[in-house]
Amino acid sequence: MAEQPTKPDNTRIIRRLLLTVVGMFAFGFALVPLYNVFCDITGFNGRFTDGQAAANTRSVDTNRTVNVQFITRVNKGMPWGFEPEVSSVRIHPGETKVVNFLANNPTGQNMIAQAIPSVAPGEASLYLNKVECFCFNQQPLAAESKTAMPMQFYLDPDIPEHIHTVTLSYTMYDMTENATPDALAAIAQPVN
Amino acid sequence: MSTVVGEMDQHDDHHHHAPSGITRWLFTTNHKDIGSMYLWFSFIMFLVGGSMAMVIRAELFQPGLQLVDPHFFNQMTTVHGLIMVFGAVMPAFTGLANWMIPMMIGAPDMALPRMNNWSFWILPFAFAILLASLFMEGGGPAFGWTFYAPLSTTYSSDSTALFVFSVHIMGISSIMGAINVIVTIMNMRAPGMSYMKMPLFVWTWFITAFLLIAVMPVLAGAVTMVLTDKYFGTSFFDAAGGGDPVMFQHIFWFFGHPEVYIMILPSFGIVSAIIPAFSRKRLFGYSSMVYATAAIAGLSFLVWAHHMFTTGMPVFAELFFMYCTMLISVPTGVKVFNWVATMWRGSISFETPMLFALAFVILFTIGGFSGLMLAITPVDFQYHDTYFVVAHFHYVLVSGAIFSIMAAAYYWLPKWTGHMYDEGLAKLHFWASLISVNVLFFPMHFAGLAGMPRRIPDYSVQFADINQIVSIGGFAFGLSQLIFLWLVIKCVKGGKKAPAKPWEGAEGLEWTVPSPAPYHTFDTPPEVK
């Protein structure tokens, strides 16, 4: 081994390689937060952040005002009372609004109902976005009680110029016989 | 460093006679002993994993459930894959590296001989743990060698901890082996052996070792996450706890794709040594071979998600991974071109190493082409998880990696044992293997295109004929390997005396030492022109 002094240091290479091993082990775990950040930023994997949802509603078109009317009715044979808190609101496209709908169950039985919406003119239904609505779920209501049910919505700023009035109507149906387990559980709780 | 080299000097100076008995093998730091142990170990594992394949093919011989229950069938496919990847192919390459790299670069031994001993001797324990888990209540791993979550977390048997620990040990062994190879190549080349004079087997192993260093720790991380998800309440891959099972696939294939190149790059090096030797010409395009190998290694980090096209990736990502995957065929094409150009107008003779090398070039290319088909995103939706995939990766791993290992064994057996192997028996082994491997794997393409899913113990009756042919090919291929076992034992025990350079056209430092290679070679570094 006459050439031994001219050889590079083994330990230096070993140290670097071991550091790489440790680093790559850590990188494997770092992939977990990286993956989440990447999916949040790009929206890949079906993830949409609050930021993106909010961004759609940010631009409020204050130059225009649209009249949104609310109509309610109950299906034939349905004993509930059901009406909007206000009959209409005037809003700018892009502006978010909450409207309460009042329901009362005058019967002596716990009941479950579901509201089915409809929008007129049909063209406007593409631009009316509900962020939250009582119509998304079945609504339980105990015997001889009443409730206020919120509906949050905004109009897409892209709504065509010629639409000045949008009518949103709800029909309330008795779903007691066809209730979902969730709704049944909700109504079972306070009675017992 | 001084201590390591100091010990090695002492070893060289004072212990020229190997200790005898079992302690010789237990405590050896000699690269040739360790190389032999690696090779024998990998061959035993090849037979163990192969017998599991026989169970699989026997069950699939006809539709319906005949021999084993589905849970055991799943354990067989899983452990067959794990053993063949980590127990057969990778240790065989490490064994070849141990034997050949020091002799090829004119070094007296590996740079870190004690670690070398360690990295071999932990392997039998890893596989003992893995195989023992098969006998536990609830059975061994049954989630496929890819251990996708939640199959390996929520739905796995209690033996999963043993699987995780055995993979940890295999990973540690591979990493230690890779560190040893890198340090040896960087620090122990004979004077005059510049990087661009190294034989291609050394080059391809050098690059493979860096791949191992980069991705085996990621595999270790993935199995650790599976372990904590299953036993310690973490939620890396559990959506209910805020994790994501698809993320498992990203992490696994970030390891998994470089891993498949770890199993093929040394093959390229072997074939690049054998084809010139039996064509009696220099290798065509040496430097382009080196750059192509490096390019394949680099690209291997950018293609992992082509295993996951059906997970619902965005179209942009699918296109990115599709094009990157197809790009790999360019450096691979360079290699195949160079091998063919080496043979062009060569004075070719067809001894068994050359036959296996030629079969490698043709059959590996078939496997590469089916890989290109799988890379096409829209058609992958049809091929995904069918027997077409099984056919593809067995073409590149059996008639690719394993055939190259066979070629290497025949090429260097005279150097290792000092005897010529039985050429007649070897030809029989080659032709039996070549025919049966194609009967075994080629019809799988058709089964896959017709829609037969992989990893199932039963199938609908229209696949019966194809599966019967495949199973017959499987049994024939399995039996053919016993010829090889017999041949190697015969060659170790005796045979025609091998000269220092048994192959007329062979080049390299390993042929300058006598056959069998003395226990210590290149105590004084050779001159490299």
Side-chain angles (χ1 to χ4, degrees):
Chain A
M1 290 248 161
E3 79 288 0
Q4 186 188 322
T6 64
K7 286 198 171 176
D9 200 344
N10 277 357
T11 40
R12 198 172 51 99
I13 304 173
I14 296 168
R15 198 182 304 124
R16 286 186 182 179
L17 292 173
L18 283 177
L19 271 176
T20 314
V21 168
V22 173
M24 288 308 293
F25 187 71
F27 176 72
F29 284 87
L31 283 174
V32 177
L34 282 175
Y35 179 79
N36 283 326
V37 169
F38 184 76
C39 288
D40 284 345
I41 291 173
T42 57
F44 288 173
N45 210 16
R47 293 190 200 204
F48 293 95
T49 58
D50 299 339
Q52 276 180 320
N56 289 336
T57 64
R58 278 292 138 73
S59 62
V60 177
D61 184 356
T62 48
N63 296 326
R64 296 168 59 199
T65 308
V66 178
N67 187 20
V68 183
Q69 302 175 327
F70 306 106
I71 297 173
T72 58
R73 57 182 177 190
V74 293
N75 192 32
K76 198 174 166 188
M78 173 71 171
W80 283 22
F82 177 44
E83 59 189 24
E85 214 169 39
V86 290
S87 62
S88 69
V89 291
R90 297 181 65 79
I91 59 168
H92 302 301
E95 182 188 352
T96 304
K97 193 85 185 168
V98 181
V99 174
N100 281 323
F101 286 70
L102 309 172
N104 70 78
N105 176 5
T107 67
Q109 284 163 344
N110 298 337
M111 286 182 72
I112 293 162
Q114 173 124 32
I116 305 294
S118 171
V119 175
E123 191 186 358
S125 64
L126 294 174
Y127 302 96
L128 190 141
N129 297 313
K130 287 174 205 155
V131 179
E132 209 200 319
C133 180
F134 57 90
C135 57
F136 293 166
N137 299 304
Q138 293 186 355
Q139 297 296 327
L141 197 51
E144 292 171 26
S145 61
K146 56 174 134 187
T147 183
M149 304 179 294
M151 193 273 288
Q152 186 179 23
F153 74 103
Y154 67 90
L155 292 174
D156 195 310
D158 292 337
I159 190 165
E161 293 279 348
H162 64 266
I163 299 179
H164 301 290
T165 303
V166 176
T167 305
L168 176 57
S169 77
Y170 284 105
T171 308
M172 190 65 92
Y173 291 86
D174 180 2
M175 300 294 282
T176 313
E177 299 298 314
N178 305 302
T180 60
D182 284 351
L184 278 177
I187 195 88
Q189 212 73 353
V191 173
N192 295 341
Chain B
M1 168 230 174
S2 54
T3 53
V4 175
V5 171
E7 277 164 14
M8 214 165 60
D9 284 344
Q10 208 176 44
H11 181 86
D12 287 347
D13 292 339
H14 305 296
H15 300 280
H16 272 288
H17 300 288
S20 55
I22 184 75
T23 49
R24 166 186 170 182
W25 301 103
L26 270 179
F27 302 131
T28 184
T29 53
N30 180 285
H31 73 103
K32 299 183 183 77
D33 282 353
I34 293 171
S36 302
M37 290 197 293
Y38 261 114
L39 288 169
W40 275 111
F41 177 78
S42 75
F43 193 64
I44 292 164
M45 283 297 124
F46 179 61
L47 295 179
V48 171
S51 26
M52 291 173 183
M54 295 300 105
V55 173
I56 294 167
R57 283 326 312 178
E59 175 58 48
L60 292 175
F61 190 75
Q62 57 186 46
L65 296 174
Q66 278 79 232
L67 302 170
V68 295
D69 71 276
H71 184 60
F72 187 72
F73 183 90
N74 289 342
Q75 293 172 49
M76 287 293 101
T77 54
T78 304
V79 182
H80 164 74
L82 288 167
I83 285 192
M84 288 308 200
V85 168
F86 296 104
V89 174
M90 290 170 68
F93 282 141
T94 315
L96 291 171
N98 263 292
W99 250 103
M100 302 320 298
I101 288 178
M103 291 212 294
M104 284 176 159
I105 61 172
D109 204 308
M110 297 293 278
L112 311 162
R114 280 176 202 280
M115 195 172 81
N116 207 9
N117 173 290
W118 243 124
S119 61
F120 172 75
W121 274 113
I122 60 175
L123 265 190
F125 293 93
F127 286 92
I129 291 172
L130 180 66
L131 290 170
S133 75
L134 287 173
F135 299 99
M136 276 184 70
E137 208 178 305
F143 29 70
W145 86 276
T146 52
F147 61 102
Y148 277 11
L151 292 176
S152 57
T153 54
T154 316
Y155 301 107
S156 60
S157 61
D158 290 336
S159 68
T160 306
L162 294 183
F163 156 80
V164 169
F165 292 138
S166 73
V167 171
H168 274 149
I169 300 173
M170 294 169 203
I172 291 168
S173 165
S174 296
I175 289 168
M176 290 200 294
I179 290 176
N180 211 345
V181 165
I182 292 173
V183 178
T184 304
I185 294 174
M186 289 179 81
N187 280 1
M188 298 192 62
R189 280 167 291 128
M193 176 64 81
S194 64
Y195 278 111
M196 290 311 274
K197 277 187 191 162
M198 295 194 308
L200 261 174
F201 179 71
V202 180
W203 251 118
T204 52
W205 238 112
F206 192 46
I207 292 167
T208 302
F210 279 106
L211 285 181
L212 281 165
I213 297 276
V215 300
M216 291 310 280
V218 178
L219 172 71
V223 290
T224 307
M225 290 183 221
V226 164
L227 185 80
T228 58
D229 262 19
K230 184 162 175 64
Y231 297 99
F232 300 105
T234 58
S235 300
F236 288 108
F237 310 127
D238 183 8
D244 190 337
V246 174
M247 186 181 68
F248 173 86
Q249 298 184 30
H250 283 288
I251 297 175
F252 178 81
W253 287 114
F254 185 84
F255 146 80
H257 205 80
E259 167 69 17
V260 306
Y261 293 117
I262 287 166
M263 291 190 284
I264 203 67
L265 293 185
S267 302
F268 294 163
I270 291 164
V271 171
S272 302
I274 291 173
I275 288 184
F278 294 94
S279 305
R280 290 158 185 83
K281 273 178 66 190
R282 287 178 58 112
L283 180 71
F284 183 88
Y286 169 88
S287 50
S288 69
M289 286 295 215
V290 173
Y291 297 134
T293 310
I296 292 171
L299 281 172
S300 73
F301 288 97
L302 298 176
V303 297
W304 77 88
H306 68 211
H307 298 270
M308 305 167 50
F309 281 149
T310 58
T311 55
M313 284 193 297
V315 173
F316 171 78
E318 288 179 339
L319 291 177
F320 173 81
F321 286 110
M322 175 171 103
Y323 290 129
C324 279
T325 305
M326 291 182 163
L327 203 56
I328 289 185
S329 61
V330 176
T332 314
V334 168
K335 289 187 160 292
V336 175
F337 178 87
N338 285 349
W339 291 323
V340 175
T342 305
M343 287 183 273
W344 175 252
R345 295 194 166 170
S347 173
I348 304 178
S349 57
F350 297 95
E351 286 90 342
T352 311
M354 182 61 166
L355 290 175
F356 271 103
L358 285 176
F360 169 91
V361 174
I362 295 164
L363 299 180
F364 174 78
T365 305
I366 292 177
F369 278 135
S370 58
L372 264 180
M373 291 170 71
L374 287 163
I376 305 168
T377 307
V379 298
D380 182 67
F381 276 71
Q382 181 192 342
Y383 303 155
H384 186 82
D385 256 345
T386 69
Y387 261 78
F388 192 83
V389 179
V390 180
H392 157 69
F393 69 72
H394 280 93
Y395 259 87
V396 291
L397 284 177
V398 179
S399 57
I402 303 260
F403 268 36
S404 80
I405 293 165
M406 297 287 180
Y410 283 115
Y411 186 56
W412 285 308
L413 257 179
K415 182 58 60 188
W416 297 336
T417 64
H419 305 123
M420 295 306 286
Y421 57 84
D422 183 335
E423 187 70 38
L425 213 53
K427 288 253 164 62
L428 177 69
H429 172 229
F430 170 74
W431 288 107
S433 298
L434 179 75
I435 294 167
S436 60
V437 87
N438 283 293
V439 174
L440 166 56
F441 295 122
F442 205 79
M444 285 185 183
H445 290 114
F446 305 123
L449 290 177
M452 180 169 160
R454 59 189 285 215
R455 291 172 169 154
I456 44 149
D458 187 10
Y459 49 84
S460 67
V461 286
Q462 75 263 31
F463 303 123
D465 292 348
I466 287 183
N467 273 287
Q468 221 155 64
I469 296 167
V470 166
S471 284
I472 290 168
F475 301 141
F477 184 76
L479 286 174
S480 308
Q481 303 324 304
L482 299 178
I483 305 173
F484 182 64
L485 175 64
W486 168 235
L487 178 144
V488 173
I489 292 172
K490 209 176 145 194
C491 182
V492 171
K493 292 204 154 174
K496 210 180 98 205
K497 196 88 192 69
K501 186 174 147 183
W503 316 116
E504 189 191 353
E507 286 198 36
L509 289 175
E510 75 263 37
W511 307 111
T512 63
V513 302
S515 297
Y519 200 58
H520 297 288
T521 42
F522 298 126
D523 279 351
T524 47
E527 274 305 310
V528 181
K529 298 167 287 288

